[in-house]
Every structure is written in structure tokens, then in C-alpha cells.
Amino acid sequence: MNGIIHLRGMVFYGRHGHHPEENALGQRFTVDLSLELDMAEAAARDDLHSTVNYAEVYSLCRDIVEGKPVRLIETLADRILAAVLERHPRVSRARIELKKPSVPIAGALDHVAVEATRSRG
């Protein structure tokens, strides 16, 4: 039984961006993450060790977003995907949408986002 675990609307404070002001002031980032995996064993055993502990995934995302600044949200998204696949071998594929609501653009918009997918192998 294949399935997807969604972690939606995770909000963290980070200091990422191309401009020095973004690194100095920081801002909120919103992360939506989807993890594809085989859920058959977890469903049959009713055991957390047979699936992905989403509390651990949340902490991993928080540590990366709130950690070392990067200039591009593409880089940040890639770091999250790589870390999830490295630390959670049951995940076969991960998809992220990373939103940056405050961008230095002369105009009105809700947010800028990147969406990326990474598969094992």
C-alpha cells in the first residue's frame, strides 16, 4: 500500500536571501512537504517504527530553515529534500513547496515559492 504523508503549513523563521537586509532581519518561511512511502507494514503492524515519524521530519525542517543562511530558496528547498531522504530511508520520494512571503520586489504579491521533488536513487 503506497501512500503520502503531508506536513502542510510548517512556519519557521530564517535569514535566507540574496540581499544583506534579508540575512540581517530574517523572515517567516512556510514549508509544505509530502513524503511518499510504502505504508503496508506500518498499517499491518500499527507501529511508528514501521513508518516515518513526522515529528522528526518537522524538527529536521525547522533545523534547516532556522539554521545556516543561504542566498536562494531553491538551495534551501534542496537541502530539506536531501536531508529527508538521507535520514528517512522509508521515504521513496519527497516533494516540497517552500514559500517566502516577504520579498524585495517593488510591487504587491502574497509570496514567492519554489516547488521541487526528489526521488531516492
Side-chain angles (χ1 to χ4, degrees), residues 6-14 16 28-35 57-58 60-66 73 76-81 84 95-101 111-114 116:
H6 298 285
L7 290 91
R8 294 191 176 130
M10 296 182 285
V11 179
F12 308 109
Y13 195 85
H16 310 286
R28 290 180 311 111
F29 291 83
T30 302
V31 178
D32 294 331
L33 191 63
S34 298
L35 311 174
V57 174
Y58 178 92
L60 178 62
C61 291
R62 181 193 62 223
D63 292 347
I64 293 170
V65 176
E66 294 181 357
I73 59 174
L76 189 59
D78 186 61
R79 286 187 179 178
I80 292 170
L81 291 175
V84 166
R95 183 195 146 285
I96 189 169
E97 183 176 8
L98 177 62
K99 299 172 188 168
K100 182 177 180 178
H111 64 271
V112 171
V114 297

